[in-house]
Amino acid sequence: MAIGKDVFRRNGYEVGWFSAFAKIDNDEFYGFSGIDYEEKLERAFAWGMDRAGVPRGVTRGKYSVEGSSIKAYKASALALIEALARKSPDGKSYGSVPFHFTLQYVEEDISITEELFGCRISGRKASLANGSDPLVDELPITVMYAKLSTPNIQGMTLFDNRQGRY
């Protein structure tokens, strides 16, 4: 069964690390080395009182984006922190400044855009180890919501957005 525009690529290119472009607040961000995020829609069953124990229905759910972080090379992570700190009212607190993260993958006939809205840095994890690898900082972030777009469908979301809040 073929699903929509799912194309079989014999010796073709799939999206990967070298297909990715990142932007923070529409400025290109070259120094990132990874991003993690997980969308969830937590639904609850409404149980009936009949003997079969069958649920009566299910709630629309509670949407969240959890476990989010940006990994960046040390100099790039510090440049991001400094830029966000400059935008804060006191010029120092980089964790209170919201930003927009865009990740786009482009390969020949594939173009996918993922957007994270209402991001804020919620911590910083720096690690240093003996070796030849470059230093990488991990910046845990909170995310308000995520949006996925392909050429076929713009602005797909895991949650029901009929109220137009986002």
Side-chain angles (χ1 to χ4, degrees):
M1 175 175 136
I3 299 174
K5 290 272 187 176
D6 187 19
V7 178
F8 177 72
R9 291 177 174 80
R10 183 174 305 220
N11 298 326
Y13 295 106
E14 291 288 345
V15 293
W17 180 254
F18 297 106
S19 308
F21 300 96
K23 289 184 179 181
I24 292 182
D25 289 339
N26 292 322
D27 292 326
E28 290 183 354
F29 184 44
Y30 293 105
F32 87 105
S33 62
I35 182 161
D36 294 317
Y37 75 94
E38 176 184 355
E39 285 184 283
K40 289 174 90 176
L41 191 55
E42 187 178 326
R43 293 188 169 115
F45 287 109
W47 297 97
M49 292 194 53
D50 62 350
R51 292 179 188 211
V54 179
R56 293 176 52 136
V58 65
T59 63
R60 289 187 185 268
K62 181 179 177 182
Y63 174 80
S64 65
V65 181
E66 298 177 359
S68 306
S69 67
I70 296 172
K71 295 177 186 91
Y73 297 112
K74 174 75 83 182
S76 298
L78 294 177
L80 172 60
I81 286 170
E82 289 171 357
L84 292 174
R86 281 193 298 273
K87 291 181 180 181
S88 72
D90 65 359
K92 297 178 185 176
S93 54
Y94 61 89
S96 62
V97 179
F99 62 92
H100 176 236
F101 188 88
T102 304
L103 189 60
Q104 187 174 34
Y105 310 94
V106 179
E107 277 293 348
E108 293 180 355
D109 63 336
I110 304 170
S111 176
I112 302 166
T113 303
E114 298 190 45
E115 296 177 277
L116 304 179
F117 293 89
C119 301
R120 285 184 170 79
I121 294 178
S122 60
R124 182 171 160 254
K125 179 181 177 185
S127 61
L128 173 65
N130 184 7
S132 59
D133 293 337
L135 298 181
V136 173
D137 282 5
E138 183 174 356
L139 304 172
I141 57 175
T142 57
V143 178
M144 184 75 75
Y145 70 100
K147 191 187 300 186
L148 172 66
S149 297
T150 65
N152 303 323
I153 301 176
Q154 296 297 317
M156 295 179 284
T157 59
L158 181 62
F159 61 95
D160 181 1
N161 193 27
R162 284 183 280 181
Q163 295 172 341
R165 293 185 180 169
Y166 298 114

